[in-house]
């Protein structure tokens, strides 16, 4: 079965500092999408960033960037200049072999301290 | 524009009752997905609709679960004879291409 592993159940970062959330995944596909979603207490899953596997360049979205290592099947999320509003549950997700359904990791709870 | 909406936001029901959960996708999105988020299992794919094609129901956990999508837009997830293990947050998402956009979910509690 395809799996997505987030090895850090909880992480903590101080405001304005940088934090990296880890994710590894398993797939037999050569082209696929990877995603990071943020879920605050409101339950709304919000897209943070996405990466297409055939693109070598790491995706960036403002303060959010990824370190995508295709051979290692690793997809970590870096949050720079952390803000209090970044506190949430972060989920890593990969496309399954179906090409549409997503496999999610168990999530990393990020705490941001003043 | 408007995002994915779901109703009700919260639903409390008694064991054995049927429930219906509704999802309104983003206008123009052809694909619609249902996921279940529970403490023990994390996020699980339930069902996928794409246009007028037959849905992929491979993630439905039992025959008590069914879903339909009318007119290629609104979808209803129905759970018959609810059980306590059905308690979870049910998330709906829609997409036009590769990125799924999620609604706020329905929290279902089965007493």
């Amino acid at each position: 079965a395809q799996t997505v592993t987030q090895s850090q159940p909880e992480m903590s970062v101080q405001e304005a500092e940088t934090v990296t959330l880890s994710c590894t995944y398993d797939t037999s596909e050569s082209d696929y999408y990877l995603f990071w979603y943020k879920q605050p207490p409101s339950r709304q899953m919000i897209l943070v960033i996405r990466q297409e596997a055939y693109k070598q360049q790491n995706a960036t979205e403002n303060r959010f960037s990824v370190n995508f290592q295709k051979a290692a099947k690793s997809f970590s999320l870096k949050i720079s200049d952390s803000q209090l509003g970044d506190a949430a549950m972060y989920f890593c997700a990969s496309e399954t072999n179906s090409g549409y359904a997503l496999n999610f990791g168990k999530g990393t709870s990020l705490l941001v301290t003043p | 524009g408007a995002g994915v909406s779901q109703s009700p936001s919260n639903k409390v029901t008694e064991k054995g009752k049927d429930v219906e959960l509704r999802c309104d996708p983003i206008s123009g999105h052809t694909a619609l997905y249902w996921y279940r988020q529970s403490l023990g299992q994390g996020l699980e794919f339930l069902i996928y609709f794409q246009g007028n094609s037959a849905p992929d129901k491979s993630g439905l956990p039992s025959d008590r679960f069914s879903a339909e999508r009318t007119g290629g837009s609104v979808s209803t997830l129905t759970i018959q004879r609810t059980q306590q293990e059905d308690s979870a947050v049910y998330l709906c998402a829609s997409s036009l291409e590769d990125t799924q956009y999620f609604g706020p979910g329905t929290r279902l509690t089965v007493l």
Side-chain angles (χ1 to χ4, degrees):
Chain A
Q2 295 171 299
T3 57
V4 176
T5 303
Q6 293 180 248
S7 58
Q8 306 149 318
E10 293 180 351
M11 291 284 284
S12 182
V13 64
Q14 280 194 313
E15 235 181 327
E17 296 297 308
T18 296
V19 65
T20 298
L21 309 184
S22 302
C23 172
T24 58
Y25 60 94
D26 181 27
T27 183
S28 56
E29 299 295 307
S30 58
D31 193 19
Y32 47 89
Y33 284 89
L34 298 164
F35 304 89
W36 278 97
Y37 285 92
K38 166 185 175 180
Q39 188 178 43
S42 66
R43 285 201 315 251
Q44 180 91 44
M45 293 280 278
I46 302 164
L47 177 70
V48 174
I49 198 165
R50 76 172 202 173
Q51 174 82 42
E52 192 164 2
Y54 81 88
K55 290 186 177 178
Q56 298 296 318
Q57 188 173 8
N58 289 324
T60 61
E61 286 288 344
N62 301 314
R63 298 182 296 106
F64 299 88
S65 61
V66 299
N67 183 2
F68 173 49
Q69 302 289 329
K70 190 174 183 179
K73 295 181 181 174
S74 170
F75 181 59
S76 61
L77 174 70
K78 185 170 86 171
I79 306 173
S80 304
D81 186 25
S82 297
Q83 301 176 358
L84 293 177
D86 294 334
M89 199 76 171
Y90 285 80
F91 290 94
C92 176
S94 72
E95 267 187 345
T96 65
N97 290 346
S98 69
Y100 43 82
L102 296 178
N103 266 341
F104 287 85
K106 297 292 188 185
T108 296
S109 178
L110 179 65
L111 174 67
V112 182
T113 57
Chain B
V4 177
S5 61
Q6 293 186 245
S7 60
S9 179
N10 293 282
K11 175 73 176 178
V12 180
T13 191
E14 293 180 347
K15 178 181 172 182
K17 301 282 189 184
D18 297 353
V19 296
E20 287 188 349
L21 312 180
R22 177 187 168 105
C23 172
D24 281 273
I26 293 171
S27 178
H29 280 193
T30 56
L32 188 147
Y33 316 73
W34 284 96
Y35 292 85
R36 179 170 70 175
Q37 184 175 24
S38 56
L39 282 176
Q41 300 298 320
L43 276 143
E44 306 168 275
F45 165 76
L46 296 178
I47 189 168
Y48 163 75
F49 296 90
Q50 173 60 271
N52 295 321
S53 303
D56 176 356
K57 305 178 183 180
S58 60
L60 294 179
S62 78
D63 58 8
R64 296 186 296 104
F65 288 71
S66 63
E68 63 177 18
R69 188 179 184 192
T70 53
S73 181
V74 172
S75 176
T76 302
L77 176 69
T78 301
I79 309 173
Q80 295 178 310
R81 305 181 302 282
T82 51
Q83 304 294 311
Q84 287 182 333
E85 61 262 29
D86 299 334
S87 295
V89 174
Y90 290 82
L91 293 166
C92 175
S94 71
S95 71
L96 184 57
E97 293 182 343
D98 302 290
T99 301
Q100 296 178 30
Y101 296 92
F102 285 80
T106 294
R107 180 178 297 282
L108 175 65
T109 303
V110 182
L111 301 177

